[in-house]
Amino acid sequence: MNAMQPTVCIVDDDDSVRRALARMLGAHRYHTSIFDSARHFLDEVDLDGAPACAVIDLQMPEMDGIALQQTLSQRIPIVILTGHADVTNAVQAMQAGAVDFLEKPVQDQLLLRAVERACERATEQFARKTELRLLKQKVERLTPREREVLAWIVSGLRNKQVASELGTVEKTIKVHRAHVMQKLEVDSLPALVRIADKMGMGLVARA
């Protein structure tokens, strides 16, 4: 089993449903974890440690599926199951980003398709989060001055122009630029721009 395969978390207060879903998904080579309540799920699962998605029952005591979805705030992909179809809940769940909203007893193929989509999203989300975490670590290596230089460079200014903006000489900017590229482990301006864009580092506006 691939260590990076997403875990499918099954959250349902009905033990027989949890086990049936786990057996069915396990038979199709999905890795599953089961939880008897939303609180148990929130207390036990590391949402940032590995890719995961969740199949959540809508009607649960204390915290229902919609409330859990709102608490998770799209941190992982969700499929919602319900024993009582409700258009309002379905619309609310889908607008909040649910992969699907399915009625129990759910057909295996419908659930499998939904879980497949959820796992694909989970893999993509985890890859993006991992990339951003690594980029953040690299950016944190920069000194405050190097961050200033980076902001001006990705704004499209040449070294001489950056030097003028920062009140220094071009040679100093070249040194800072070299350090920035070394610490961020890139070798081109487009690569610097991509990092700045992914990290939400806004361009500097010239006065």
Side-chain angles (χ1 to χ4, degrees):
M1 185 77 66
N2 187 338
M4 294 305 293
Q5 178 180 352
T7 296
V8 182
C9 301
I10 300 169
V11 189
D12 197 306
D13 61 323
D14 187 322
D15 181 65
S16 62
V17 172
R18 291 195 305 272
R19 296 186 181 280
L21 292 176
R23 282 196 300 270
M24 190 274 286
L25 292 172
H28 289 82
R29 304 186 63 80
Y30 285 102
H31 178 256
T32 63
S33 290
I34 58 177
F35 304 89
D36 59 9
S37 69
R39 182 53 54 194
H40 183 200
F41 169 76
L42 291 172
D43 288 344
E44 295 293 328
V45 175
D46 179 3
L47 296 175
D48 298 315
C53 61
V55 176
I56 298 173
D57 182 35
L58 179 64
Q59 289 86 16
M60 293 186 290
E62 296 184 18
M63 180 183 290
D64 65 18
I66 296 295
L68 177 55
Q69 181 187 26
Q70 292 170 343
T71 299
L72 291 172
S73 187
Q74 298 192 29
R75 292 179 65 187
I76 64 171
I78 288 172
V79 176
I80 289 185
L81 301 183
T82 179
H84 307 281
D86 182 293
V87 173
T88 300
N89 283 329
V91 171
Q92 184 178 0
M94 296 304 290
Q95 288 180 338
V99 174
D100 213 334
F101 188 99
L102 302 173
E103 187 174 1
K104 297 177 182 177
V106 61
Q107 296 178 20
D108 287 0
Q109 290 306 313
L110 287 178
L111 181 60
L112 286 169
R113 284 198 293 270
V115 168
E116 181 180 6
R117 294 197 303 274
C119 284
E120 289 173 354
R121 285 193 198 177
T123 300
E124 293 168 359
Q125 283 185 210
F126 186 74
R128 287 196 298 271
K129 286 192 293 188
T130 300
E131 180 185 22
L132 289 176
R133 184 172 65 250
L134 294 175
L135 288 178
K136 182 180 178 182
Q137 291 173 356
K138 292 178 181 179
V139 170
E140 288 175 347
R141 301 173 189 171
L142 303 179
T143 66
R145 192 60 158 178
E146 287 166 352
R147 293 191 189 201
E148 278 189 286
V149 170
L150 171 60
W152 284 111
I153 289 173
V154 299
S155 294
L157 271 64
R158 297 185 179 184
N159 292 338
K160 186 175 182 178
Q161 293 171 305
V162 177
S164 176
E165 294 289 345
L166 297 180
T168 186
V169 296
E170 184 177 0
K171 181 178 180 180
T172 299
I173 298 303
K174 286 182 179 180
V175 171
H176 285 315
R177 181 170 181 157
H179 289 166
V180 168
M181 299 186 77
Q182 180 183 30
K183 291 179 180 180
L184 297 184
E185 301 175 15
V186 297
D187 57 7
S188 69
L189 176 58
L192 283 179
V193 172
R194 284 194 294 272
I195 288 179
D197 182 58
K198 288 177 181 178
M199 295 302 295
M201 301 172 71
L203 305 182
V204 176
R206 300 182 69 182

